[in-house]
Amino acid sequence: MYSTMKVTFYGQSCLTVETAGKTLLFDPFIRENELAKHIDVDQIQADYILITHGHFDHVADAPELAKRTGALVISTPEVCAWLEKQGVEKTQGMGQGGSVTLDFGRVKMVAAIHGSRLPDGSPGGFPVGFVVDTAEGSFYHAGDTALTMDMQLIGQSSRLKWAALPVGDFYTMGVDDAIRAADFIGCQRILGIHYDTFPPIRLNREEARQRFTAAGKDLILIGIGASLDL
Ligand code: NI
Ligand code: MN
């Protein structure tokens, strides 16, 4: 039987994935996102919160959401320590290359090329991405990253249904490198993230979609607060 994961986009790199009866929340940054003012943060549920790095546009709402939902936070030990200082109790600090099996499936922390300084100025450790395997399929959230040859390793070891890749350029990969990344990871269905939030990363959606289409790939761009089944 063909089953899908419900993905809801909350702007920048924040999304929830509902799979195997659990909700995974990535990189919560909503209250301070001018484009996400219509989102009711109090309604967001999570069983797990996965954080790719310490930049404010990936962690700003993590302390509040972790405490309210009681979700287990998975990130680097440095990001977890920052959360613990703010009263978050359930954290699991991992290292790049490591994986953990949880009740919905398996999470592997993979490499990213970027920075990771936390809002208080403390170092966030290495930035990361996540490959998640569940009974409903596998997906990859790249976090903030440059195109890297290491992405070929993901393509060699996982059969991805879809992947969330940054496409906004300037702070991360842009469209052309995201297309190459899609080749490296062997995935044709790309959910675009990390665009429009700030002036340097405004995206020409039509042009971006056309470039993906010309490369035989599908760039999915959905509105903030919208959901789709992947
Ligand atoms: Ni960043
Ligand atoms: Mn970012």
Side-chain angles (χ1 to χ4, degrees), residues 12 53 57-58 114 144 194:
Q12 193 66 339
H53 64 292
D57 58 318
H58 300 259
H114 191 67
D144 282 5
H194 215 269

Side-chain angles (χ1 to χ4, degrees), residues 15-197:
L15 44 100
T16 54
V17 181
E18 293 168 53
T19 181
K22 299 292 174 181
T23 301
L24 283 59
L25 169 66
F26 290 83
D27 286 2
F29 167 69
I30 301 156
R31 291 200 190 279
E32 293 179 49
N33 183 351
E34 291 297 328
L35 304 180
K37 291 297 176 203
H38 58 292
I39 300 297
D40 184 356
V41 176
D42 296 330
Q43 295 301 313
I44 296 176
Q45 296 303 321
D47 297 295
Y48 296 91
I49 300 176
L50 292 82
I51 300 176
T52 61
H53 64 292
H55 288 160
F56 79 101
D57 58 318
H58 300 259
V59 302
D61 296 318
E64 173 191 333
L65 279 161
K67 284 187 268 190
R68 176 174 59 76
T69 62
L72 174 66
V73 180
I74 298 171
S75 190
T76 63
E78 292 86 350
V79 170
C80 289
W82 176 79
L83 288 165
E84 286 159 13
K85 269 189 274 178
Q86 296 171 80
V88 176
E89 290 175 0
K90 288 172 65 184
T91 68
Q92 189 149 46
M94 294 177 60
Q96 287 179 333
S99 62
V100 59
T101 299
L102 299 160
D103 56 3
F104 61 88
R106 179 171 161 271
V107 173
K108 184 172 185 183
M109 185 175 266
V110 298
I113 294 182
H114 191 67
S116 185
R117 191 173 53 199
L118 285 151
D120 66 359
S122 62
F126 286 104
V128 304
F130 294 103
V131 175
V132 179
D133 299 318
T134 78
E136 294 166 328
S138 299
F139 67 94
Y140 168 46
H141 188 302
D144 282 5
T145 185
L147 177 68
T148 157
M149 294 295 281
D150 290 358
M151 290 171 178
Q152 294 184 2
L153 299 173
I154 296 171
Q156 287 164 13
S157 52
S158 300
R159 186 176 291 262
L160 301 173
K161 250 180 140 174
W162 62 276
L165 299 181
V167 295
D169 213 335
F170 196 80
Y171 302 113
T172 66
M173 296 190 286
V175 170
D176 290 335
D177 280 351
I179 290 169
R180 296 180 71 195
D183 276 330
F184 285 179
I185 62 176
C187 180
Q188 313 307 318
R189 275 167 116 192
I190 304 303
L191 177 69
I193 57 173
H194 215 269
Y195 64 92
D196 279 358
T197 315

